[in-house]
């Protein structure tokens, strides 16, 4: 990454996703270990895998941050010192914490380890940032409620490096201040057990306990966040890192989102503008299964930033396959298929650092010969393509 | 000896409470306090007659950057009052108090975050006098934290459980969506799994949801014998007569078998393995 260029920070919960994120342009990846992380039910990485991820990242001059961001109960603390030592030995570039006890332990056992403050601390002002700066915290991930004006003023009044979320799902409540999961399902949200009660529908009753009758039941669900249209402003403001949410999302999602943000960031640095914003926005919309909105950046979110019908959720069938290799002699893509496509379809291919392009499927071959339809996920097949492609390029539905 | 702090329902309630054996009050600061029935300006707090009892001010809403200047002014004025201390949520309060040398006694009250001994000690080492522990802890956790730290430990033993806060106007948004008017300040969410109604309301253009009424009266002996410094009884949304009845139970240590005890004696889980077990 160029010095002082804004960082694009991707999520991952497996070593495979770490590699995909870097391949598609992330400058850094954040991930959870198998303990102490707020996505307790994600795949998450062992210390050995974290070490491998760090080694892989550092060869590319990229970074790995590890979440140690639960709110600890006494029973959880055992083993934490050893774990932080191991993360330090694995050469992680920073750990992300929300509970201040981690600061004391890290200072004791790994004094040179960089410490970032999680959004779970819900930091929304410069005085809090200044406190954490004096505590040796190197970066604060602001609360998602921060507006543009808030962020600008925080940066102006604090030496703290500021990271914000730019894409993905978001809590309806202030982070760390929602206990619905605890009381409805006995799963502790601040220790990684959130059962996403905010996406449930409820019957609403008035003060006299008379039901509010409507086809649409009460919901507090919100659309995902996207700040893609505001990337130039975010860069100009002096934010150090743009974070994409979604440690449990698919490789297709990560590749698409990171690819788009990479292109937009690079184009703005190179030309001072972003020409094809609409196209990029469309790409983001197509790869997600939920609508997104700018949320708090420009104005306080209202009714248009909420979700009121699960009908809007869609299963994404755009992801058609992953390139395994290119047969130069026969000018064929060898790919692993993911979703249905057939001869005659026009498909779109994208990869890191290239302009995506369309290809008409003239024929499909599998191990037994010519077929008309690719309908078996994970099957290895071939399609013709005159343009040479590389391993891990992605094939998707044309749009 | 364990002392009783009350979050009173209104100013009139204080007149009644002044004549009881409670030890003090937690009063909300106007525009800065949530999950609190009585919120007063500094001027009005100064005028309160509290019969020489302790007085804590609760500043427990998240503070945005554009509120920092006013927060500083409020804290300067509070520092001139004869109060026992300030319960705080936002870390800016700590920083302002320190940098402006206001010498306020601070109590760490980051809602659901004070959950372990080491974090309490972290703040104690910064000069924080006490912590109001999270409602998601068990009584045994309270005791362990008290034993491990030198802090004043406060625990919430009676009142609606603060369960959720959002900076969105979730009720207003919903009524706009269904093209109806929001006619009430208070509504109820019905949740069929637990078969319960939960209070939901808007304040400061934010939305709050309350859980059931917690009542830890049956753990009072254990709490007292383990030297927990304060128990907190909150009157928000409780009728005065009912509150006073419960308070009387606490004063007289009268057990009650028909109470909701939240996580006081129940462990929460957070890691669900594929077989559904912790």
């Amino acid at each position: 990454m160029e010095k002082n260029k804004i960082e694009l920070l991707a999520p991952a919960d497996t070593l495979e996703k770490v590699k995909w994120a870097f391949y598609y342009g992330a400058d850094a990846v954040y991930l959870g270990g198998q303990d102490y992380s707020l996505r307790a039910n994600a795949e998450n990485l062992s210390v050995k895998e974290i070490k491998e991820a760090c080694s892989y990242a550092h060869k590319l001059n990229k970074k790995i941050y590890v979440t140690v961001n639960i709110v600890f109960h006494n029973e959880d603390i055992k083993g934490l010192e050893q774990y932080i030592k191991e993360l330090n030995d694995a050469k992680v570039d920073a750990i992300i914490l929300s509970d201040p006890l981690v600061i004391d332990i890290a200072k004791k056992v790994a004094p040179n380890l960089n410490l970032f403050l999680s959004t779970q601390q819900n930091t929304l002002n410069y005085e809090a940032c200044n406190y954490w700066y004096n505590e040796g915290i190197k970066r604060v991930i602001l609360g998602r409620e921060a507006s543009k004006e808030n962020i600008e003023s925080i940066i102006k009044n604090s030496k703290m490096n500021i990271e914000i979320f730019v894409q993905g799902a978001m809590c309806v409540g202030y982070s760390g201040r929602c206990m619905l999961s605890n009381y409805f399902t006995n799963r502790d949200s601040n220790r990684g057990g959130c059962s996403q009660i905010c996406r449930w529908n409820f019957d609403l009753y008035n003060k006299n306990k008379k039901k509010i009758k409507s086809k649409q039941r009460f919901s507090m669900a919100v659309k995902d966040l996207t700040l893609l249209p505001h990337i130039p402003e975010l860069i100009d403001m002096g934010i150090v890192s743009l974070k994409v949410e979604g440690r449990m999302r698919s490789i297709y999602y990560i590749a698409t989102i990171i690819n788009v943000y990479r292109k937009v960031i690079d184009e703005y640095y190179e030309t001072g503008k972003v020409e094809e914003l609409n196209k990029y926005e469309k790409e983001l919309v197509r790869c997600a299964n939920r609508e997104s909105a700018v949320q708090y950046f420009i104005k306080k979110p209202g009714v248009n930033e909420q979700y009121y019908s699960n009908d809007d959720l869609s299963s994404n069938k755009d992801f058609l396959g992953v390139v395994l290799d290119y047969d130069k002699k026969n000018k064929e893509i060898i790919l692993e298929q993911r979703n249905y496509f057939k001869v005659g379809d026009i498909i779109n291919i994208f990869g890191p650092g290239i302009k995506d392009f369309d290809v008409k499927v003239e024929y499909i071959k599998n191990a037994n010969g010519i077929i008309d339809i690719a309908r078996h996920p994970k099957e290895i097949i071939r399609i013709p393509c005159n343009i040479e492609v590389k391993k891990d390029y992605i094939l998707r539905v044309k749009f | 000896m364990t002392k009783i702090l009350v979050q009173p329902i209104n100013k009139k309630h204080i007149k009644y409470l002044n004549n009881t054996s409670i030890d003090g009050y937690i009063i909300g600061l106007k525009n800065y306090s949530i999950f609190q029935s009585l919120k007063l300006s500094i001027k009005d707090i100064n005028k309160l007659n509290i019969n020489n009892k302790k007085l804590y001010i609760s500043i427990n809403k998240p503070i945005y950057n554009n509120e920092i200047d006013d927060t500083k002014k409020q804290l300067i004025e509070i520092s001139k009052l004869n109060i026992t201390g300030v319960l705080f949520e936002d870390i800016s309060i700590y920083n302002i108090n320190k940098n402006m040398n206001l010498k306020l006694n601070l109590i760490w009250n980051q809602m659901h975050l004070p959950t372990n001994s080491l974090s309490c000690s972290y703040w104690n080492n910064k000069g924080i006098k006490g912590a109001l522990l999270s409602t998601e802890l068990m009584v045994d956790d309270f005791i362990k934290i008290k034993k491990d730290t030198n802090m004043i430990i406060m625990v919430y033993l009676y009142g609606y459980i603060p369960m959720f806060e959002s900076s969105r106007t979730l009720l207003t948004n919903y009524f706009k969506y269904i093209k109806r008017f929001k006619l009430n300040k208070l509504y109820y969410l019905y949740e069929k799994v637990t078969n319960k109604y939960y209070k939901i309301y808007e304040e400061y253009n934010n939305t709050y949801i309350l859980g059931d009424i917690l009542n830890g009266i049956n753990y009072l002996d254990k709490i007292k014998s383990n030297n927990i410094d304060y128990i907190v009884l909150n009157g928000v949304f409780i009728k005065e007569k009912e509150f006073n009845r419960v308070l009387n139970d606490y004063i007289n240590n009268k057990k009650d078998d028909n109470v909701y005890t939240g996580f006081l004696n129940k462990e929460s889980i957070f890691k669900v393995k594929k077989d559904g077990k912790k």
Side-chain angles (χ1 to χ4, degrees), chain A residues 86-102:
Chain A
E86 287 171 0
L87 292 181
N88 191 52
D89 293 344
K91 297 190 166 40
V92 304
D93 295 283
I95 59 171
I96 302 167
L97 63 98
S98 66
D99 193 321
L101 77 87
V102 179

Side-chain angles (χ1 to χ4, degrees), chain A residues 106-153:
Chain A
K107 281 181 180 174
K108 183 175 144 198
V109 302
N112 296 320
L113 183 58
N114 287 322
L115 307 177
F116 294 173
L117 190 74
S118 167
T119 194
Q120 295 298 114
Q121 263 289 342
N122 212 34
T123 309
L124 291 165
N125 62 69
Y126 72 87
E127 284 285 353
C129 284
N130 288 341
Y131 170 77
W132 295 116
Y133 180 85
N134 290 328
E135 274 297 279
I137 298 287
K138 301 291 186 202
R139 180 187 294 186
V140 165
I141 303 140
L142 292 183
R144 280 177 251 213
E145 292 78 8
S147 65
K148 180 183 177 187
E149 197 182 355
N150 265 161
I151 300 167
E152 280 176 334
S153 180

Side-chain angles (χ1 to χ4, degrees), chain A residues 34 41 72 99 121 126 131 135 153 172 174 177 179 183 188 191 203 205 213 216 296 300, chain B residues 63 65 89-90 110 115-116 119 122 126 136 163 165-167 174 180 188 190 269-272:
Chain A
Q34 285 170 350
N41 294 309
F72 287 78
D99 193 321
Q121 263 289 342
Y126 72 87
Y131 170 77
E135 274 297 279
S153 180
V172 181
Y174 288 105
R177 277 69 171 170
M179 296 291 116
Y183 289 97
D188 190 343
R191 291 192 289 168
D203 288 331
Y205 288 74
K213 288 182 183 163
Q216 175 61 56
Y296 291 88
K300 189 179 175 85
Chain B
I63 293 175
N65 217 50
E89 148 79 33
D90 200 288
Q110 268 189 297
T115 53
N116 66 73
S119 294
Y122 168 91
K126 303 291 174 197
E136 287 66 50
M163 202 161 64
E165 58 179 293
S166 169
S167 64
Y174 174 68
R180 302 265 288 275
Y188 292 89
Y190 174 69
I269 58 165
F270 63 101
K271 191 174 269 193
V272 182

